[in-house]
Amino acid sequence: MRILVTGGTGYIGSHTCVELITKGHEVVIVDNLYNSNIDVLDKIEAITGVKPKFYEVDILDKEGLDRVFKENDFDAIIHFAGYKAVGESCVIPLTYYKNNISGSINLYECMAAHHVDNIVFSSSATVYGDNFEVPFKEEYGQGDTTNPYGTTKKFNEIILEDFCKANKDISAVSLRYFNPIGAHPSGLLGEDPKGIPNNLVPYIAKVATGELDHLNVFGDDYDTIDGTGVRDYIHVVDLAKAHVKAIEYAQRHKGAEVINVGSGKGYSVLEVLHAYEKACGKKLAYEVKDRRPGDIAVSYADTKKAKELLDFEVELDIEDMCRDSYNFMIKSQKNEG
Ligand code: NAD
Ligand code: WQD
């Protein structure tokens, strides 16, 4: 298939391009490089032997996007492009709504105008909010999201559902990712956010490399194994493989579906910290702080639907995730220094 990948130079997008190319698909990337680097194209080439065709286009630029559709005959779309920082979305909500919703609508309009029928959308477990019992099941629907970022994901799922109801040829799969971490085993692709990371594993990674001196653990009084928050971490390479299966599923299916993509297992903050200590071979300092506002105690996926519809199950575990994350950090440091 010839697949348009929006946000394809980003963290999850770049890993997905590798898996798509490896499976023989042709990839065309659209990204405005807001949160990624053009070098990623060379890295994808170094891993796969193929450099994807690339357009530096903002999905808010409808004419630019339309040109990309005119110049390429796509079979399917995987839509990653968007802003993703939960805290920032509370400060600049309109910017988030514009980028993640108006940008997506531009894309869906181009899809309709150019008769591209299949799309996989990056949704998030955040759409469950704090309303439901674990494991989170797709049939729960959507909960009360706790921040504008989460609401953009919820709205996109609803928009795609309505789009499919009105257009019987369209197939839209919203994948609800749990917590993607890790990096490509080559050490060439991964996530190294600028500044102080918001998310757990990027933060621990910077403690491991000495850029930060300790981890702040947000709360140790939850009703969990050791009092710290529990999440369902998934290796980004497994997540990328789920996209290949989802886009193939979208081709043989019509209508809207939402599917969880997680491991089905939960790990506490301290369990992840200890797994990372094993990966980097040293003790990592931490301090317990107050709970982070908006956090829930436990989140993990019911994975049955992914198994049934996509024949997808994770292959990599928490040790693989921490090993590959640390390998990427060390390799990036060497390249910078
Ligand atoms: P990322 O920031 O690394 O990748 C997103 C890419 O989209 C970046 O390369 C960015 O430059 C690009 N982009 C942003 N706005 C754009 C625009 N207007 N036009 C063109 N390109 C634009 O993020 P990621 O972690 O790879 O996440 C990919 C998708 O998955 C996002 O939609 C995110 O919300 C979603 N998601 C991520 C997580 C996670 O924990 N990483 C979890 C659930 C869902
Ligand atoms: C995990 C656990 C924290 C940082 C977020 C988004 C979600 C999705 C994935 C996009 C929690 C604890 C964290 C730290 C800590 N993204 N923690 N110290 O909050 O589950 O999910 O990323 O869709 O929408 O909300 O992930 O990695 O931030 O936190 O103790 O410095 O680690 O309290 O229990 P989260 P996270």
Side-chain angles (χ1 to χ4, degrees), residues 161-285:
E161 211 176 298
D162 289 339
F163 185 36
C164 287
K165 274 186 202 149
N167 297 274
K168 298 296 177 207
D169 291 333
I170 304 282
S171 172
V173 180
S174 293
L175 294 180
R176 291 181 176 165
Y177 313 156
F178 280 68
N179 290 54
I181 60 169
H184 195 268
S186 64
L188 292 173
L189 299 173
E191 189 180 34
D192 185 8
K194 306 285 160 267
I196 311 270
N198 298 309
N199 299 114
L200 180 65
V201 170
Y203 199 108
I204 295 177
K206 285 191 190 283
V207 178
T209 57
E211 285 170 74
L212 294 170
D213 59 39
H214 69 274
L215 170 71
N216 296 310
V217 174
F218 298 142
D220 68 350
D221 56 353
Y222 288 107
D223 184 14
T224 60
I225 179 173
D226 54 20
T228 67
V230 167
R231 296 291 181 273
D232 180 337
Y233 296 93
I234 175 165
H235 196 299
V236 66
V237 171
D238 274 332
L239 179 58
K241 289 181 178 167
H243 287 80
V244 179
K245 296 204 165 187
I247 204 70
E248 289 166 358
Y249 171 79
Q251 266 230 319
R252 52 177 199 270
H253 170 268
K254 295 283 169 230
E257 279 292 352
V258 294
I259 305 177
N260 288 338
V261 190
S263 71
K265 274 200 219 115
Y267 288 95
S268 74
V269 172
L270 292 180
E271 285 176 323
V272 175
L273 184 73
H274 296 322
Y276 214 101
E277 285 177 331
K278 206 167 151 197
C280 69
K282 54 190 166 203
K283 276 284 199 209
L284 300 173

Side-chain angles (χ1 to χ4, degrees), residues 276-331:
Y276 214 101
E277 285 177 331
K278 206 167 151 197
C280 69
K282 54 190 166 203
K283 276 284 199 209
L284 300 173
Y286 71 90
E287 285 177 18
V288 175
K289 297 280 155 91
D290 288 344
R291 291 180 177 193
R292 186 173 63 177
D295 271 353
I296 55 174
V298 182
S299 160
Y300 58 90
D302 184 310
T303 58
K304 282 192 208 81
K305 194 168 177 185
K307 172 75 184 142
E308 274 166 28
L309 297 190
L310 307 182
D311 191 27
F312 171 77
E313 279 178 311
V314 298
E315 290 166 9
L316 301 166
D317 63 18
I318 194 76
E319 290 193 3
D320 300 313
M321 300 179 214
C322 295
R323 180 201 60 224
D324 291 339
S325 161
Y326 188 60
N327 176 44
F328 169 73
M329 294 303 288
I330 295 300
K331 205 155 177 173

Side-chain angles (χ1 to χ4, degrees), residues 35 40 71 86 95 128 147 157 168 188 194 218 227 280 327:
N35 195 34
V40 162
E71 288 176 16
V86 169
T95 306
Y128 290 111
N147 56 76
E157 286 192 2
K168 298 296 177 207
L188 292 173
K194 306 285 160 267
F218 298 142
C280 69
N327 176 44

Side-chain angles (χ1 to χ4, degrees), residues 100 121-124 126-127 149-157:
N100 292 8
F121 169 67
S122 298
S123 190
S124 168
T126 197
V127 303
Y149 165 74
T151 309
T152 70
K153 293 297 172 192
K154 178 169 159 171
F155 285 170
N156 263 286
E157 286 192 2

Side-chain angles (χ1 to χ4, degrees), residues 11-12 31-32 34-36 58-59 80 84 99 149 153:
Y11 172 50
I12 306 169
D31 201 300
N32 64 356
Y34 168 82
N35 195 34
S36 53
D58 192 311
I59 57 167
F80 295 103
K84 63 165 182 176
N99 199 48
Y149 165 74
K153 293 297 172 192

